[in-house]
Amino acid sequence: MQQDPFRNQADSPMAPAEYCFEITPSDTDDLMCATKALYVGEGGDLAITSVRADAPVVFTSVPSGSIIDVRARKVSASGTTAANIIGLA
């Protein structure tokens, strides 16, 4: 059985991610859960809507392998050219 010395610790936005999931950008669907950060495997532009916003903003020229510290609720297809995006929650 795996040991987890942090299992009784409270989660926070500053704590490491406990869950990772692949993201397919969509102009209509929100993410399965809000993120703590996004990992961008293949660089490009990234259009995201944060948890407290109504409209997307575009992070331009995000390099491959970047981690963007943002609590996102949506990654839009329109305006996103980056690929292999992973949600960290």
Side-chain angles (χ1 to χ4, degrees):
M1 181 173 178
Q2 181 187 39
Q3 297 290 326
D4 182 359
F6 303 105
R7 77 173 173 266
N8 294 324
Q9 301 297 314
D11 194 17
S12 77
M14 300 305 294
E18 294 183 355
Y19 182 66
C20 304
F21 57 97
E22 294 180 7
I23 293 175
T24 301
S26 171
D27 290 332
T28 56
D29 296 332
D30 283 349
L31 299 173
M32 62 179 8
C33 67
T35 65
K36 291 182 181 187
L38 297 169
Y39 169 79
V40 179
E42 184 179 324
D45 294 347
L46 186 64
I48 66 106
T49 303
S50 67
V51 294
R52 296 194 181 201
D54 294 322
V57 296
V58 179
F59 290 83
T60 58
S61 303
V62 177
S64 296
S66 293
I67 294 179
I68 306 293
D69 293 326
V70 63
R71 293 195 58 227
R73 67 177 178 89
K74 181 186 286 186
V75 176
S76 298
S78 299
T80 294
T81 59
N84 301 321
I85 304 163
I86 304 292
L88 307 173

